[in-house]
Amino acid sequence: MIDELLEEVKKAREQGKKIGLVQGSWDLFHIGHLRYMKKAKELCDYLIVGMDSDEKIRLRKGPSRPIIPEKERYDFIKQLDIADYIVIKPANEPKWNLIKEIKPDVLIAIKDNYSDEDIIKLKDYCGNVAILPRQSTTSTSDKIRKIIIKNNEQKITNIKTDVTKSIDELKKRINYQEDMPTPIPELIANLHNSTDGVCPVSAACLWNNKWYFGSNQIDLNISNYDIENRTELFYNLVEHAEMNLLKNMGTVKELNTPIYTTLFPCDKCMKVLIAKGVKEIYYLEDHPEKNWSKRSHELANKNNIKTTQMFTKTIKQEEIINEINMNNFKYIYPPNAREQEQLDIMMNMENNDHDPLDMKYINQEILYTTNYWFITANKFPYEDVDKQILIVSKDPIYRKEDITNAMWLELKEILNQISDKYNIPGGALCYRFGDPALSGASLKRVHLHIIVPKEEKKVKFNIGGKRTLKKGLIIK
Ligand SMILES: [Zn+2]
């Protein structure tokens, strides 16, 4: 092509014609382009129009450009009948290649395209460089940018309306009440951050005493058809709420607190949650008819993940409300509190991030300490008790697995010491472990009880508990 062009240029020069060169992408041809090309033609007798190939434009302006393909742009310029020759510039040509090959008598350019230095250098290859001002106030790039932004703004406005509508429908379906327990109102509020108008989803997790949230985000470039038809293909293109939740939480290795979500997680999210160590999932709604939901339930079952639908008719709402909240405490398990005063103290400590069984915060006499344990009286003894002594781990240990051999051995000595010291002829050494709803413990730090009953009496030591608060007690 370039050989043919050079042949034509040679011919024109022989006829005494002044050769001009003007270059551009000429995408979405507008009035500025036309004026520019016409002015260029006025400055010469034989105008060569350089036009960037699709590939060249894509490399420079991104995958969404050009809007008008090469062939159409070429035909359009040809139809204008201004150019004497149109040359399509390949992507890989060296800098200023066409200028150097043609050595035009006049190179026509727009002010912003070349620096002053460039213009001086260009004079080595051209007879003259004619700099024209921009022929219209906005370039094609600016126009396209504005169109895209406007489209997206419009799309976002529409999505926000749709999201609000979808949230209202969800609220009706679950019979939403504003006094529903944390994190349900927060989950519902967070739905407004979703960009999926058809099915906004929100997920939450309490981590280190802080609630984290995530909502699903759709790519604004997905066609409405895909969104409205809810194909599994579309489902793959959405950034799911659970993924965004994990993103917002940063690096968490072992996620041992429950995940709450407005919609049962899809199988892909489930896999990620399993890998993160999640053991419990609470959800408001599900789509059991969808394949992703079936696959996801199977995954949860196989991996012993407890999944609970919140606010179903089969389970009493208050029970779930309490159950959700009861799992959120770091040091205490309120359902096993026996008295309001005890619960108040427990809550006060928990709210200040104080472990009530930390020696620092024990507000009572410490009878004595050993290497691993400290010994104190139980402030809230059981009925018909003569003596109730607590043996508490000095270190913040919460699981039986973390009790060392040395600690166990020391317990043997402590039992003998206490029996001697407090003249205890008989009683029981009791240790609760594991899930507090099964053990009956109200405080989570490892501790043991020595219980001595009054003569002729039986002491009831509860093993096992509930997942809801004792009737009549309230968290203030
Ligand atoms: Zn998902």
Side-chain angles (χ1 to χ4, degrees):
M1 198 169 180
I2 192 87
D3 288 341
E4 186 198 292
L5 167 63
L6 292 177
E7 194 59 36
E8 291 296 315
V9 169
K10 200 176 147 202
K11 263 192 244 167
R13 278 220 167 90
E14 279 165 6
Q15 291 166 15
K17 287 179 179 168
K18 192 174 172 187
I19 311 293
L21 173 64
V22 68
Q23 308 185 86
S25 300
W26 317 108
D27 193 15
L28 285 185
F29 205 93
H30 56 73
I31 186 71
H33 286 144
L34 184 64
R35 286 185 193 135
Y36 179 39
M37 209 175 268
K38 277 186 161 172
K39 288 233 160 120
K41 183 64 187 254
E42 284 168 15
L43 296 171
C44 63
D45 306 309
Y46 187 91
L47 180 67
I48 301 158
V49 172
M51 189 190 93
D52 296 335
S53 65
D54 286 352
E55 200 190 346
K56 193 178 175 77
I57 296 176
R58 258 196 299 276
L59 285 173
R60 207 174 61 239
K61 300 189 176 174
S64 58
R65 298 287 299 274
I67 303 294
I68 311 291
E70 188 174 293
K71 168 97 179 41
E72 260 180 66
R73 286 184 284 129
Y74 183 92
D75 287 348
F76 188 93
I77 296 169
K78 208 170 164 68
Q79 295 291 323
L80 292 175
D81 216 12
I82 301 170
D84 294 284
Y85 198 100
I86 308 166
V87 56
I88 297 176
K89 296 170 75 181
N92 50 7
E93 64 170 7
K95 192 184 176 190
W96 297 351
N97 188 52
L98 195 59
I99 298 169
K100 288 176 185 175
E101 290 275 2
I102 297 170
K103 300 190 178 65
D105 299 307
V106 55
L107 173 73
I108 301 102
I110 287 181
K111 204 161 185 287
D112 322 333
N113 290 358
Y114 297 102
S115 69
D116 291 347
E117 244 172 66
D118 280 346
I119 292 167
I120 294 165
K121 276 189 212 153
L122 279 167
K123 285 187 175 159
D124 291 348
Y125 311 107
C126 315
N128 191 15
V129 180
I131 300 294
L132 300 182
R134 257 196 201 286
Q135 300 296 304
S136 74
T137 48
T138 52
S139 70
T140 302
S141 293
D142 287 340
K143 265 187 199 152
I144 292 169
R145 213 169 292 132
K146 274 181 190 153
I147 290 168
I148 291 173
I149 290 169
K150 218 171 168 206
N151 276 348
N152 282 352
E153 275 171 356
Q154 190 54 49
K155 231 174 169 174
I156 290 167
T157 309
N158 291 343
I159 285 170
K160 289 221 175 291
T161 314
D162 292 346
V163 165
T164 305
K165 230 187 273 166
S166 297
I167 296 172
D168 287 342
E169 283 160 15
L170 169 77
K171 282 177 170 175
K172 267 184 222 150
R173 288 196 302 271
I174 66 164
N175 188 21
Y176 177 72
Q177 313 288 325
E178 270 170 23
D179 60 355
M180 276 180 172
T182 304
I184 289 158
E186 292 82 359
L187 273 174
I188 301 292
N190 185 60
L191 282 172
H192 287 282
N193 294 325
S194 170
T195 57
D196 183 348
V198 178
C199 183
V201 180
S202 166
C205 180
L206 181 69
W207 186 250
N208 284 340
N209 289 322
K210 196 184 154 199
W211 280 102
Y212 290 86
F213 295 91
S215 56
N216 57 341
Q217 304 291 319
I218 64 162
D219 182 341
L220 291 174
N221 294 318
I222 299 175
S223 77
N224 280 343
Y225 177 84
D226 284 341
I227 296 171
E228 278 152 21
N229 287 277
R230 308 297 301 158
T231 55
E232 297 228 348
L233 166 96
F234 165 68
Y235 217 79
N236 288 336
L237 297 172
V238 178
E239 263 202 82
H240 289 190
E242 298 88 336
M243 300 299 183
N244 282 322
L245 167 67
L246 293 176
K247 231 186 254 175
N248 292 340
M249 291 178 71
T251 47
V252 174
K253 273 193 199 133
E254 175 93 15
L255 201 53
N256 52 17
T257 55
I259 296 284
Y260 304 89
T261 172
T262 56
L263 182 65
F264 193 76
C266 74
D267 51 332
K268 290 202 175 63
C269 290
M270 187 60 83
K271 273 184 199 158
V272 175
L273 295 177
I274 289 166
K276 278 273 174 192
V278 169
K279 294 276 177 285
E280 272 180 279
I281 296 167
Y282 291 87
Y283 60 100
L284 282 171
E285 293 194 298
D286 191 5
H287 285 302
E289 76 286 2
K290 303 265 185 185
N291 286 330
W292 57 258
S293 173
K294 280 177 206 149
R295 291 195 295 265
S296 189
H297 275 286
E298 279 166 21
L299 278 170
N301 288 339
K302 219 166 78 189
N303 289 278
N304 291 322
I305 293 185
K306 190 180 157 202
T307 59
T308 309
Q309 185 162 21
M310 302 184 275
F311 304 104
T312 51
K313 288 183 186 83
T314 48
I315 307 171
K316 266 203 209 116
Q317 287 196 2
E318 307 86 75
E319 279 177 17
I320 293 176
I321 293 168
N322 279 325
E323 189 172 344
I324 296 162
N325 284 334
M326 293 316 142
N327 284 316
N328 291 341
F329 299 98
K330 202 164 155 188
Y331 307 115
I332 66 173
Y333 187 71
N336 291 339
R338 285 165 286 131
E339 298 166 30
Q340 187 64 48
E341 189 199 345
Q342 180 193 17
L343 179 61
D344 292 345
I345 294 171
M346 281 162 59
M347 282 309 302
N348 186 30
M349 298 293 273
E350 175 81 26
N351 290 337
N352 288 308
D353 198 25
H354 291 169
D355 184 345
L357 283 182
D358 189 324
M359 226 162 88
K360 270 200 303 250
Y361 305 121
I362 287 273
N363 186 20
Q364 66 187 55
E365 193 194 348
I366 289 171
L367 301 172
Y368 71 100
T369 64
T370 65
N371 289 334
Y372 303 107
W373 307 92
F374 69 88
I375 287 87
T376 182
N378 194 332
K379 213 176 176 182
F380 298 94
Y382 302 131
E383 256 177 69
D384 295 323
V385 148
D386 181 37
K387 283 193 180 67
Q388 187 168 355
I389 292 165
L390 280 181
I391 307 167
V392 188
S393 162
K394 279 168 142 180
D395 291 327
I397 290 177
Y398 300 91
R399 307 182 318 149
K400 65 177 186 321
E401 292 84 350
D402 298 327
I403 305 173
T404 62
N405 289 346
M407 289 176 79
W408 282 117
L409 272 178
E410 222 183 49
L411 282 173
K412 184 183 152 189
E413 284 168 37
I414 291 170
L415 182 59
N416 289 331
Q417 282 164 5
I418 290 179
S419 299
D420 288 350
K421 217 171 174 167
Y422 300 99
N423 194 20
I424 294 171
L429 176 69
C430 311
Y431 169 52
R432 296 178 168 112
F433 63 90
D435 183 349
L438 295 173
S439 76
S442 55
L443 299 174
K444 294 186 175 176
R445 186 187 283 233
V446 164
H447 64 282
L448 298 90
H449 299 251
I450 289 179
I451 297 171
V452 182
K454 287 180 180 155
E455 280 290 334
E456 303 267 319
K457 293 281 183 191
K458 282 184 183 174
V459 171
K460 213 170 126 198
F461 180 83
N462 287 329
I463 300 167
K466 297 210 305 169
R467 297 204 185 268
T468 53
L469 279 185
K470 187 180 166 189
K471 244 190 163 164
L473 297 196
I474 47 161
I475 287 176
K476 288 174 187 165

